[in-house]
Amino acid sequence: MPVWDWGYAFQVLPQLLRALLVTLQITVLGSVVALVLGLVIAVVRRAKVPVLDQVLWAVVEFIRSTPLLVQVFFLYFALPRFGVTFSALTVGVIGLGVHYATYTSEVYRAGIDAVPRGQWEAATALSLSPGRTWTGVILPQAIPRVLPALGNYVISMFKEVPLLLAISVIEVVNKAKELGSATFRFTEPYTIAGLLFLVLSYPASILIRRLERRRAAV
């Protein structure tokens, strides 16, 4: 039996590409959750509301200090015992999104802290409402500063999606595993799966590095 069979590789490629779409879907939806929820957490914590700030701090530290896989298992296997059931795909989006929201919230907070204090004072002097201050003054300056860091987390999330094979999400690595188990040829599907990740994540990482250099040059 040859080490590499091109015929078999081309045969399984369409199935792996369809599974890659699932991987990308989870990445995009999880990124939306992580970026939006992370911003909400950062803004709320910036307000320093008594009790709420301590609760959010505890939740963020707990999520960051426990493995993502454990959190996914809890959502998929433990929540149904309390009457809350989600599909494996939904669990993947929620698990990844919430987990990475705890990291993006710190990135946002760093960007907000980097906005000069004079900007806050100017908004106060102009009698801008809190909402207008955030949306018109602070966030337009804070978010561009942290785009490279946020992009790195999106790439990391993309590479974490294969963890969801543990709850039977048919993403590209799980599909490669299924194909290999059915034919006892693992070299081709796993190699193609790895190359697909490389083809997507490496150009994205180059783009992020360019953004970082551009920000540093400003």
Side-chain angles (χ1 to χ4, degrees):
M1 181 181 293
V3 175
W4 182 270
D5 185 337
W6 282 105
Y8 177 61
F10 285 115
Q11 178 185 337
V12 301
L13 180 59
Q15 298 179 65
L16 292 171
L17 289 175
R18 285 193 292 271
L20 179 64
L21 292 177
V22 176
T23 302
L24 292 172
Q25 179 185 4
I26 294 172
T27 302
V28 171
L29 294 177
S31 297
V32 171
V33 173
L35 296 176
V36 173
L37 181 58
L39 180 58
V40 170
I41 293 172
V43 171
V44 172
R45 290 202 62 193
R46 175 78 186 190
K48 298 188 183 301
V49 179
V51 181
L52 180 58
D53 184 51
Q54 286 75 17
V55 170
L56 275 178
W57 175 84
V59 170
V60 167
E61 289 302 312
F62 175 79
I63 293 175
R64 292 181 63 172
S65 301
T66 54
L68 172 60
L69 189 58
V70 172
Q71 296 164 20
V72 169
F73 279 157
F74 178 83
L75 292 172
Y76 191 70
F77 295 110
L79 280 188
R81 294 182 175 272
F82 300 95
V84 181
T85 303
F86 297 111
S87 68
L89 185 66
T90 303
V91 166
V93 171
I94 295 174
L96 282 166
V98 173
H99 183 83
Y100 275 91
T102 61
Y103 291 94
T104 60
S105 67
E106 294 301 309
V107 172
Y108 282 125
R109 194 161 65 140
I112 292 168
D113 290 343
V115 175
R117 183 172 181 80
Q119 298 294 308
W120 294 91
E121 295 171 348
T124 301
L126 292 172
S127 300
L128 297 181
S129 66
R132 181 59 180 163
T133 298
W134 278 106
T135 59
V137 179
I138 304 304
L139 294 182
Q141 297 181 67
I143 291 178
R145 298 170 186 268
V146 298
L147 281 178
L150 295 175
N152 283 327
Y153 278 125
V154 172
I155 294 172
S156 295
M157 191 182 306
F158 173 61
K159 293 186 287 187
E160 293 264 32
V161 172
L163 285 176
L164 301 180
L165 66 83
I167 57 172
S168 303
V169 174
I170 308 301
E171 44 72 49
V172 65
V173 174
N174 199 6
K175 175 56 71 174
K177 176 177 175 290
E178 285 188 355
L179 293 169
S181 299
T183 61
F184 298 102
R185 291 197 63 93
F186 292 93
T187 303
E188 293 87 352
Y190 276 132
T191 300
I192 293 172
L195 289 174
L196 290 175
F197 273 98
L198 178 64
V199 165
L200 291 174
S201 61
Y202 184 66
S205 65
I206 292 176
L207 177 61
I208 295 301
R209 286 198 293 270
R210 287 183 178 177
L211 284 175
E212 289 175 343
R213 288 197 295 267
R214 182 172 297 180
R215 286 299 309 166
V218 174

